[in-house]
Amino acid sequence: MASGNPLFNEKAYEEALCRTQRCEGIMTLQGTINKAFFLLFLCMTGGVLGFRHYQAWGAFLIPIALVCLALAMTVIFTKKTAPLLAPFYALGEGLVLGMISASFSTLYDGIAGQAVTITLLVFLLMLFIYKTGLIRVTRGFSTGVIAATGAVALFYVGSLVLMFFGIHVSYFTENTTTNLIINIIICVIAALNFLLDFKFIDTLTSEVAVPKFMEWYAAFSLMVTLVWLYLDILRALGRGRSR
């Protein structure tokens, strides 16, 4: 089964399947959840530091973001590095989010706390929906979310390319009603990705044998979706406040 999160795919896990008896430990659902919450704790710790010391860290925003990107790419292509690099990624990404949140807070008081609360509630809501089966993660549902996620990715990449060549992209600069609606739709798509990710992890931990280090990789992948959701929720709240 495929997942909307590009870091969750059958090839990624197939490469790490325990095909012999040499695996030192097996990936479990509970272990993955524990590591996901640990990375979340590190991310929030970094967020607090970045938020409180925005003036001191502000000049390092782009370098830290680039380091986080390098760490993420390393984990994606060398999955065994996840236990070592995922915590550093979470902490660094937290610093970046904290600084971005601080800049938003200078314009909209209390917006960062609202965004954090909403993001965590959405994550827990998606986990509840998955556990209770309120939304069934069928093949058709998965295909739809994957297609929507791909469209969002193309939109972001295309926008960055256009802005690199000096072409104005209104979505990132103008707080229109249309942009707010698009923003909310993107938040919904990000949230739905959690259902696919939970299903994929559940399937792997119950039907196949995967090495223990993949718990870190899975937790890291969930963190990527969480960061995406938070940033778009923050942007949506900012647009709502500006109206």
Side-chain angles (χ1 to χ4, degrees), residues 139-149 189 196:
R139 182 175 295 275
F141 176 84
S142 300
T143 300
V145 175
I146 292 169
T149 303
I189 294 172
L196 275 64

Side-chain angles (χ1 to χ4, degrees), residues 197-216:
D197 297 340
F198 294 147
K199 175 63 176 179
F200 199 70
I201 293 173
D202 199 11
T203 299
L204 289 173
T205 53
S206 61
E207 297 180 8
V208 296
V210 178
K212 197 72 173 177
F213 72 83
M214 289 299 285
E215 292 178 352
W216 286 103

Side-chain angles (χ1 to χ4, degrees), residues 1 7-32 35 79-80 82-83 197 199-219 221:
M1 178 180 176
L7 306 185
F8 279 120
N9 55 73
E10 291 172 286
K11 182 179 179 180
Y13 283 95
E14 184 178 347
E15 295 174 355
L17 289 178
C18 291
R19 302 186 184 281
T20 69
Q21 299 300 318
R22 298 179 181 178
C23 287
E24 297 180 1
I26 299 299
M27 175 183 178
T28 64
L29 179 59
Q30 187 59 53
T32 303
K35 291 174 177 60
K79 299 168 186 61
K80 289 185 178 181
D197 297 340
K199 175 63 176 179
F200 199 70
I201 293 173
D202 199 11
T203 299
L204 289 173
T205 53
S206 61
E207 297 180 8
V208 296
V210 178
K212 197 72 173 177
F213 72 83
M214 289 299 285
E215 292 178 352
W216 286 103
Y217 182 78
S221 302

Side-chain angles (χ1 to χ4, degrees), residues 158-234:
S159 297
L160 290 174
V161 172
L162 291 175
M163 289 189 292
F164 178 79
F165 287 102
I167 300 176
H168 175 71
V169 180
S170 65
Y171 176 75
F172 296 99
T173 59
E174 299 178 7
N175 295 325
T176 65
T177 300
T178 299
N179 286 338
L180 177 59
I181 293 174
I182 294 174
N183 203 163
I184 293 174
I185 292 174
I186 291 175
C187 288
V188 172
I189 294 172
L192 291 177
N193 269 273
F194 283 125
L195 297 180
L196 275 64
D197 297 340
F198 294 147
K199 175 63 176 179
F200 199 70
I201 293 173
D202 199 11
T203 299
L204 289 173
T205 53
S206 61
E207 297 180 8
V208 296
V210 178
K212 197 72 173 177
F213 72 83
M214 289 299 285
E215 292 178 352
W216 286 103
Y217 182 78
F220 157 80
S221 302
L222 284 172
M223 181 61 57
V224 171
T225 304
L226 200 66
V227 168
W228 170 27
L229 177 62
Y230 173 79
L231 286 174
D232 272 290
I233 287 177
L234 187 66

